[in-house]
Amino acid sequence: MKTSLSVAIAAAVFVAGAGVGYTAQKQQKTTTAMYHAKANPEAAKELLAVAKLQAGKGSWEQIAVGRVYYLGGFKAEGQAIFDAILAGKHEDSDVFRIARVYSEAGEWDKARPMFDRYFKGTDDDGTGYAEVGALYLMNGDRANAEQMFDRSVAIEPEDLWSTLHIAGAYLNVRPQE
């Protein structure tokens, strides 16, 4: 009797857990009802709520969600995601990606110290040096830009993307992110 009761309880717990898992999975699914016939901000908010779930614990994915919030006019929501990432254990590349969002938003004063922070922990990213050097140049700081270009060339003298970032900066073409 105890064995069959234990089996019944285990089965009930399994079914309940499967139901919860199915519901959670369903909530992570994008549907057309989330955006059809809705105002743009309302549609975006519904889709971003799902995207946050879809991003899971991946920092790159979370930063991508935060980017859309931030650049889409929901800065507080995006900033909250960035702050949560930076408050926990994170990679240097997370700092770089968040700095890119600030740069893309035209907030160089916020981006620059984060890029500088990234390079304090990373000294072998030639493409990154070229990209950020381009941003320095486009923000009027040729001396620091050219120091970064020099570092990029020393690391990766044959890298197409680095060369394009550097060339583009002298023509006021933003690095392709």
Side-chain angles (χ1 to χ4, degrees):
M1 183 82 164
K2 287 183 182 178
T3 303
S4 61
L5 181 59
S6 296
V7 170
I9 291 172
V13 169
F14 173 77
V15 169
V20 170
Y22 177 74
T23 302
Q25 183 180 23
K26 191 173 182 180
Q27 291 173 339
Q28 291 183 16
K29 188 174 186 180
T30 304
T31 67
T32 58
M34 294 175 176
Y35 54 84
H36 274 237
K38 293 188 178 184
N40 288 357
E42 182 184 352
K45 280 187 174 184
E46 284 200 41
L47 292 163
L48 285 167
V50 172
K52 282 174 71 174
L53 295 172
Q54 291 171 334
K57 294 183 180 188
S59 63
W60 291 14
E61 293 85 352
Q62 290 176 27
I63 292 167
V65 173
R67 176 185 175 274
V68 174
Y69 271 118
Y70 201 88
L71 298 175
F74 301 108
K75 282 189 175 185
E77 291 87 341
Q79 188 64 56
I81 292 170
F82 300 154
D83 290 344
I85 291 167
L86 295 173
K89 186 177 180 193
H90 60 275
E91 301 293 325
D92 290 336
S93 61
D94 296 332
V95 173
F96 190 89
R97 283 179 175 75
I98 293 169
R100 271 184 172 162
V101 176
Y102 295 146
S103 175
E104 202 174 350
E107 298 175 0
W108 179 242
D109 289 339
K110 208 169 179 178
R112 186 184 60 242
M114 291 194 71
F115 282 128
D116 293 344
R117 175 177 159 190
Y118 168 75
F119 287 116
K120 284 182 182 172
T122 305
D123 63 355
D124 64 347
D125 184 359
T127 306
Y129 275 106
E131 178 181 334
V132 176
L135 297 172
Y136 266 95
L137 183 61
M138 295 173 75
N139 281 283
D141 188 347
R142 186 173 180 144
N144 278 325
E146 290 183 346
Q147 286 177 357
M148 294 191 118
F149 295 160
D150 294 349
R151 182 74 181 125
S152 173
V153 170
I155 296 168
E156 299 180 283
E158 297 178 16
D159 181 61
L160 167 67
W161 301 112
S162 297
T163 305
L164 288 173
H165 292 333
I166 295 168
Y170 287 105
L171 299 172
N172 209 31
V173 174
R174 287 187 61 85
Q176 185 178 24
E177 298 171 8

